[in-house]
Amino acid sequence: MGINPLVLAVCVLSAFRTVTAETVTELEFVRSPATVISSLGKPVRMTCSLQGRGGDPPDVLWLRDGRPLELADTNQNQIPLDTDSWMVYSTLRIEKVRLPDMGSYRCAVQSEGHNTMSKPGNIQLEGLPHFSVEPHHMSVVANVSIQLQCVAHGPPEPVRVIWLRDGAPLNTLKESVALSPSTLNLTGLNRTSTFSCEAHNNKGVATSGSGTITVLPSAPQRLRVEESTQTSLTVSWLPGFGGDYPIIRCSVQAKHSGEPDSDPGDLVHNQNVHIPPASHRIDGLEPHSLYSVRVACHSSQGPSAWSPWLDMKTKEGVPDSAPVNVSATLNGTEVLVQWEEPAGKLNGDLQGYMLEYSTPNTEKTVMDTGLNTELSLNLSTPLSNMTFRVCAYTRAGQGPWTPMDTLILVTPGLSSPPAFSWHWWYVVMAIAGVVAMAVLMAVYVAKLRRKETRFGEAFEPMMESGELVVRYRARRTYSRRTTEATLNSLGISDELKQKLQDVMVDRHKLTLGKTLGEGEFGSVMEGLLTQEESVLKVAVKTMKIAICTRSEMEDFLREAACMKEFDHPNVMRLLGVCLQTVESEGYPSPVVILPYMKHGDLHSYLLYSRLGDTPVYLPSQMLVKFMTDIARGMEYLSNKNFIHRDLAARNCMLNENMNVCVADFGLSKKIYNGDYYRQGRISKMPVKWIAIESLADRVYTTKSDVWSFGVTMWEIATRGQTPYPGVENSEIYDYLRQGNRLKQPPDCLDSIYSLMFSCWLLSPKDRPSFEDLRWELEKALDDLPDAQDPDEILYVNMDETSSEQGAVGGRDPVAAGGGGGGGGGGGGAPLGLKGLDSVTTVEVHHHNRYVLCPQHEPVRGLADSLESLDMAVSSSAATLPFQTLCRPTATPPTQASTPTLELLEDREMRGPRKLPWE
């Protein structure tokens, strides 16, 4: 590139060393920097040679794009050629070349005000494309056009881009949109999707980061008032379009008109409404008041924008209070009645006052005084006392009346009290005497018929067959002295003791059995609870009191007191609390009595169904039902403002009806220790289940429980696998901060994984609520077909001959491997478990026979280990590879497929060795 000598002189003048000794002449660069083509991160070296005569050689300065490299790593060597001439070699070294290092390089010297420069040489970098602009996460309104941009650079150029939507390519390299910078125009997006780019050049392919475009509903429209009363407003609206996601609820907010909407505390109404219908009545409003109302609707992906505030007014009401300072003054035969306006709210426009008065000689009269606050009444003679009261009224009606007041105009004469009558006194005394005698006789007869013993009561005067018969009824006594003393000895608060009084169980009614599970801090035991007419089998959770502090024991009891408020089929309920005496400790040990769960905790059940001695086939319908049961229980807990903080499959129990109950509300950390990690001095936390904001700030909300629910769904989908395999507990936080999440299980439905992935969004407010999760899971469960009997599945081995090459990151082509020759000839290779290709399944129908060929899966080399363990393989484990020919046919199998059928018969005889393919 050309450089202005004046500009160059200004830039490098201070960097050159002025030559003051013997004059240097005949300066010439005999070797200029060469053009270097390299790759990122590799070392680069450039050299130039300067020849001259005279005194000391000047310093050689390196320039990049005309600017001096003052901090560059350079080396200068001087070699004399003869007595008066010399040669200077200057070398520029770059250990790891980077993109900013690209440009035009020159060598330059200055002597006696004259600049000498070499010819330019360039550094060019070639390698995989790099991105300067890539897709990012964003939210858009459904069916609205958007543009996405992806910019990738070489060298080498050109760089072409392939757009991917949910992993599927949207264009080819030959289309015009592929040339970088590339802009993808989407005319309308109705489903939440993840977009990414692949950049191609002559050196290879690079993949950009992924950006999820969340589709939200459009704002509601046509908000209007359907009905207005004095204390309520009924509004209706038209929900916006939510794309592929139906509107499940709307939020209605109301405030006093004119007030700012920044503070949620200023709202007079804020409520979620299930739709349809798209209407809602706002109650508890003030009469004759102006309110502003707005609506936003929610889909499973999130909320829409709010509709504009709409002003609405309630109808008028009657005054809250009566007029005050009511008085009456007599002036001759006229009475002047006066009052003042009510002190309370009028709830409307004041229309006037009503005055009601009466005398002993006249009927009750009501007069409308209008807005006047006094009225003169002309009374007829002779004067008599007058009673009166006043009320105010609006268009809605009359308000409350004042208390009835009396103006005394005539003073009645004094009269002597009536004389005392002894006649009625005698009558009262006689009646009282008769009643007292009757009571005494009844008590005496009862004493004769009853004998009190220390064992109970015996009634005696009965003769049967000539013999005296004593009928005995045991005395029912109950004393809470022992319970109260025991609770007092624990040193817990009075509030907690009061909560535990009605759930305490006599320790003599509880019989402990075998231990079901034991950990470092406690155990779960089987027990029998004696009730009034039956004996109930229960589970008893205990604490090892010797290693637990008093505060931990109080937390144990406080969590039990909290459980007594729960009443939901998918939430573990509390049967009672019992205090077992521990002689060595000097104070009792609390135990919690819970319903007995036949199948134990869900994690163990899933694990044994896959790896146990007798594996159990769990269809997808049952797994989704497990997720739905947990979502229902957590929705109930979240509605009661309860945060679980430790939701996991190990803390969910499975009863005899295969229903899942959410359990262990903070108690599991006392029993299970393997899944918890202690950060510094803080208590142990289940870091692989806990939300990322809880790991960072120890802040727990309902949305942190939603994160844990997503991990629990992943546990269920993988049938008990441990989350984040290969990642240490201490590395989880950094792993999540880098954007990593749990991968989709091999046989997990896309809709189910999309739902669990939404639970792991970085922002808690973007995650769905448990109500949304329950609704989506119930819908997914209804959409699933009926569970298929595993005995109706036939397994046929197939050899795929080709596999289609997908986008970058897809599967590699797999050769047939000679399977066709073996199958066609009837001989084939010996049937075995090593070095084989693939396995698939078919469904057998009564009229025709179909072979269903799924996409190729990489062979997992677990055959030898499964043979040695004699262990069944579920859909989430590796498949057993067999080598044979896949031929769809409606005729019986030929001799070529005999080895496969023999192996199938052998596998059926061995029982559980089945590979269900859903």
Side-chain angles (χ1 to χ4, degrees):
M1 58 181 290
I3 301 178
N4 191 323
L6 294 177
V7 175
L8 177 63
V10 173
C11 294
V12 303
L13 184 59
S14 61
F16 285 122
R17 186 185 69 181
T18 304
V19 181
T20 60
E22 184 180 350
T23 303
V24 178
T25 59
E26 299 182 14
L27 293 177
E28 180 184 4
F29 282 100
V30 296
R31 181 180 176 183
S32 297
T35 297
V36 178
I37 300 176
S38 182
S39 300
L40 286 173
K42 292 187 177 180
V44 171
R45 176 181 296 182
M46 303 184 76
T47 303
C48 63
S49 301
L50 175 68
Q51 184 175 348
R53 292 180 177 275
D56 294 334
D59 291 336
V60 177
L61 183 67
W62 284 85
L63 307 177
R64 181 181 66 218
D65 297 331
R67 296 186 178 184
L69 300 177
E70 298 179 355
L71 301 179
D73 181 10
T74 60
N75 184 24
Q76 181 171 318
N77 296 320
Q78 176 182 350
I79 300 176
L81 299 180
D82 52 31
T83 57
D84 191 32
S85 63
W86 38 261
M87 181 77 72
V88 173
Y89 296 91
S90 180
T91 303
L92 172 66
R93 293 184 179 88
I94 302 177
E95 294 298 331
K96 293 182 179 180
V97 67
R98 299 178 298 117
L99 291 176
D101 295 327
M102 291 193 304
S104 175
Y105 288 79
R106 286 189 176 189
C107 294
V109 294
Q110 185 184 39
S111 178
E112 296 182 355
H114 177 70
N115 297 329
T116 304
M117 303 181 63
S118 69
K119 295 180 180 179
N122 297 320
I123 293 182
Q124 298 179 2
L125 299 182
E126 292 189 352
L128 296 178
H130 60 279
F131 291 90
S132 59
V133 179
E134 54 188 351
H136 58 276
H137 300 302
M138 60 185 299
S139 298
V140 298
V141 177
N143 205 29
V144 173
S145 299
I146 59 173
Q147 288 185 342
L148 301 179
Q149 193 172 27
C150 193
V151 180
H153 308 276
E157 301 286 352
V159 176
R160 293 188 174 272
V161 174
I162 290 182
W163 285 91
L164 302 177
R165 176 178 178 177
D166 294 331
L170 298 179
N171 64 293
T172 63
L173 295 176
K174 296 182 179 180
E175 298 180 27
S176 59
V177 72
L179 187 62
S180 178
S182 175
T183 300
L184 179 64
N185 295 310
L186 299 174
T187 57
L189 192 63
N190 292 329
R191 183 171 63 89
T192 297
S193 303
T194 300
F195 292 86
S196 60
C197 303
E198 290 180 353
H200 297 245
N201 65 4
N202 293 338
K203 291 296 183 178
V205 182
T207 303
S208 71
S210 299
T212 299
I213 310 299
T214 304
V215 175
L216 300 178
S218 57
Q221 301 176 355
R222 302 180 187 175
L223 177 62
R224 61 182 180 271
V225 183
E226 296 291 342
E227 182 182 2
S228 175
T229 66
Q230 296 178 6
T231 59
S232 67
L233 291 170
T234 301
V235 297
S236 66
W237 63 90
L238 180 63
F241 178 63
D244 293 347
Y245 308 99
I247 303 297
I248 57 178
R249 73 175 188 275
C250 294
S251 299
V252 182
Q253 290 185 351
K255 64 171 184 175
H256 290 286
S257 180
E259 292 185 356
D261 57 347
S262 58
D263 187 3
D266 295 336
L267 297 175
V268 298
H269 188 82
N270 187 9
Q271 187 172 342
N272 292 330
V273 180
H274 290 278
I275 61 170
S279 63
H280 178 61
R281 188 176 72 180
I282 306 174
D283 294 317
L285 303 179
E286 298 177 356
H288 199 58
S289 299
L290 187 63
Y291 293 93
S292 297
V293 180
R294 67 177 181 177
V295 180
C297 294
H298 302 248
S299 69
S300 61
Q301 302 303 299
S304 70
W306 289 97
S307 65
W309 288 105
L310 180 64
D311 288 340
M312 306 175 183
K313 193 172 186 179
T314 54
K315 290 187 175 180
E316 284 191 73
V318 299
D320 287 341
S321 59
V324 296
N325 297 331
V326 182
S327 63
T329 306
L330 179 63
N331 183 14
T333 60
E334 293 185 352
V335 175
L336 180 61
V337 183
Q338 296 175 311
W339 61 90
E340 295 180 3
E341 186 176 306
K345 296 185 62 176
L346 295 176
N347 297 325
D349 297 328
L350 182 63
Q351 300 298 309
Y353 300 94
M354 303 295 291
L355 172 64
E356 176 186 301
Y357 71 97
S358 64
T359 65
N361 302 325
T362 60
E363 296 182 353
K364 183 183 299 183
T365 303
V366 179
M367 299 183 65
D368 188 348
T369 69
L371 295 176
N372 295 323
T373 58
E374 63 180 21
L375 182 65
S376 181
L377 302 174
N378 189 7
L379 300 180
S380 61
T381 57
L383 298 177
S384 59
N385 297 338
M386 184 187 75
T387 59
F388 60 93
R389 61 178 182 171
V390 185
C391 76
Y393 67 92
T394 62
R395 293 187 183 91
Q398 297 177 358
W401 291 86
T402 61
M404 189 68 73
D405 200 359
T406 301
L407 177 62
I408 300 177
L409 301 177
V410 177
T411 303
L414 298 176
S415 60
S416 60
F420 181 75
S421 176
W422 286 99
H423 172 72
W424 292 106
W425 174 252
Y426 293 144
V427 173
V428 173
M429 292 293 292
I431 294 175
V434 172
V435 172
M437 291 296 294
V439 172
L440 292 175
M441 289 296 295
V443 173
Y444 178 72
V445 171
K447 288 291 184 180
L448 290 178
R449 298 185 58 192
R450 183 176 64 186
K451 181 180 180 182
E452 186 74 15
T453 69
R454 68 187 182 91
F455 300 102
E457 296 173 357
F459 293 86
E460 296 183 317
M462 293 187 181
M463 299 292 293
E464 292 184 5
S465 302
E467 295 182 357
L468 181 64
V469 176
V470 178
R471 297 190 178 276
Y472 169 77
R473 178 168 61 88
R475 179 187 302 174
R476 299 182 61 186
T477 62
Y478 179 73
S479 174
R480 305 181 74 159
R481 184 177 305 163
T482 303
T483 300
E484 292 174 354
T486 304
L487 288 177
N488 289 333
S489 66
L490 293 178
I492 60 179
S493 63
D494 295 337
E495 178 187 2
L496 182 56
K497 284 190 293 184
Q498 186 65 28
K499 291 181 179 180
L500 292 175
Q501 286 291 350
D502 54 349
V503 295
M504 295 302 298
V505 175
D506 186 0
R507 64 186 180 89
H508 300 291
K509 294 183 179 181
L510 180 62
T511 304
L512 299 181
K514 63 180 180 179
T515 300
L516 301 177
E518 187 170 5
E520 178 183 355
F521 297 97
S523 61
V524 179
M525 304 179 67
E526 182 178 311
L528 296 176
L529 179 62
T530 303
Q531 298 179 331
E532 293 183 359
E533 298 179 356
S534 63
V535 177
L536 180 64
K537 190 175 184 180
V538 297
V540 181
K541 186 181 295 291
T542 69
M543 293 184 69
K544 291 183 178 178
I545 202 67
I547 60 175
C548 293
T549 64
R550 288 294 184 93
S551 61
E552 289 176 334
M553 182 173 60
E554 184 169 359
D555 292 342
F556 184 83
L557 292 173
R558 194 175 301 278
E559 289 157 355
C562 182
M563 289 175 62
K564 78 172 186 177
E565 304 294 336
F566 299 153
D567 184 16
H568 191 274
N570 297 115
V571 177
M572 181 73 76
R573 61 187 179 92
L574 177 70
L575 297 181
V577 175
C578 180
L579 299 176
Q580 297 287 341
T581 302
V582 181
E583 297 296 338
S584 60
E585 297 298 327
Y587 56 92
S589 169
V591 298
V592 175
I593 306 174
L594 304 172
Y596 180 80
M597 294 292 164
K598 178 179 178 181
H599 298 290
D601 68 275
L602 180 60
H603 177 261
S604 299
Y605 182 85
L606 294 170
L607 204 59
Y608 294 153
S609 70
R610 180 165 54 90
L611 302 176
D613 295 331
T614 57
V616 179
Y617 170 72
L618 299 180
S620 294
Q621 292 82 353
M622 179 174 291
L623 299 180
V624 177
K625 180 188 178 298
F626 290 166
M627 302 175 188
T628 307
D629 287 348
I630 300 175
R632 290 168 179 162
M634 291 304 299
E635 180 187 11
Y636 172 81
L637 293 177
S638 63
N639 289 338
K640 295 182 72 69
N641 296 324
F642 186 88
I643 302 175
H644 194 290
R645 297 195 305 173
D646 197 7
L647 180 61
R650 64 180 175 275
N651 292 336
C652 298
M653 308 302 292
L654 201 59
N655 63 14
E656 63 276 8
N657 297 324
M658 302 301 291
N659 293 326
V660 181
C661 296
V662 179
D664 282 313
F665 307 96
L667 304 183
S668 61
K669 62 179 176 293
K670 305 288 192 304
I671 297 176
Y672 300 92
N673 290 311
D675 296 326
Y676 294 79
Y677 172 70
R678 186 185 303 273
Q679 287 188 343
R681 292 187 176 181
I682 24 179
S683 59
K684 292 185 178 180
M685 298 187 300
V687 294
K688 291 193 176 182
W689 284 262
I690 205 167
I692 186 171
E693 70 273 8
S694 301
L695 287 174
D697 303 320
R698 300 182 66 188
V699 174
Y700 297 88
T701 63
T702 300
K703 291 305 179 75
S704 60
D705 280 350
V706 169
W707 180 293
S708 302
F709 176 74
V711 181
T712 306
M713 291 177 63
W714 190 90
E715 288 185 273
I716 296 174
T718 59
R719 295 163 176 84
Q721 291 186 16
T722 301
Y724 307 102
V727 182
E728 295 294 332
N729 285 338
S730 58
E731 302 170 352
I732 283 295
Y733 179 69
D734 293 335
Y735 183 81
L736 296 176
R737 282 189 58 193
Q738 296 170 3
N740 298 306
R741 296 295 185 268
L742 289 168
K743 306 303 180 184
Q744 181 173 357
D747 55 345
C748 178
L749 299 175
D750 291 342
S751 60
I752 298 299
Y753 180 72
S754 176
L755 199 60
M756 70 174 73
F757 192 88
S758 67
C759 299
W760 307 323
L761 295 177
L762 184 62
S763 177
K765 63 183 180 64
D766 295 337
R767 302 170 196 161
S769 64
F770 281 110
E771 181 183 7
D772 301 337
L773 293 168
R774 187 262 308 160
W775 191 91
E776 292 289 342
L777 286 170
E778 287 179 348
K779 181 178 182 297
L781 186 60
D782 292 338
D783 294 341
L784 287 175
D786 294 335
Q788 186 179 10
D789 188 352
D791 293 330
E792 297 178 0
I793 301 177
L794 177 65
Y795 300 85
V796 176
N797 302 298
M798 297 160 45
D799 185 15
E800 297 182 357
T801 58
S802 65
S803 178
E804 185 176 347
Q805 176 70 41
V808 172
R811 302 180 177 91
D812 296 328
V814 179
L831 189 61
L833 296 176
K834 294 184 178 180
L836 306 177
D837 292 333
S838 63
V839 61
T840 189
T841 63
V842 300
E843 293 184 15
V844 180
H845 301 267
H846 297 291
H847 302 291
N848 294 293
R849 184 179 184 89
Y850 301 91
V851 177
L852 304 180
C853 302
Q855 282 188 326
H856 173 76
E857 289 188 18
V859 176
R860 307 177 185 179
L862 299 180
D864 295 337
S865 60
L866 293 174
E867 273 284 302
S868 63
L869 293 174
D870 192 22
M871 182 165 52
V873 181
S874 69
S875 59
S876 63
T879 57
L880 296 178
F882 306 134
Q883 183 174 2
T884 185
L885 179 63
C886 172
R887 295 192 303 168
T889 176
T891 61
T894 61
Q895 185 178 0
S897 61
T898 301
T900 300
L901 297 180
E902 291 177 355
L903 179 59
L904 290 174
E905 294 174 357
D906 175 66
R907 293 171 64 206
E908 291 177 357
M909 293 176 63
R910 294 176 63 180
R913 193 178 293 273
K914 293 189 175 182
L915 304 175
W917 171 53
E918 300 176 5

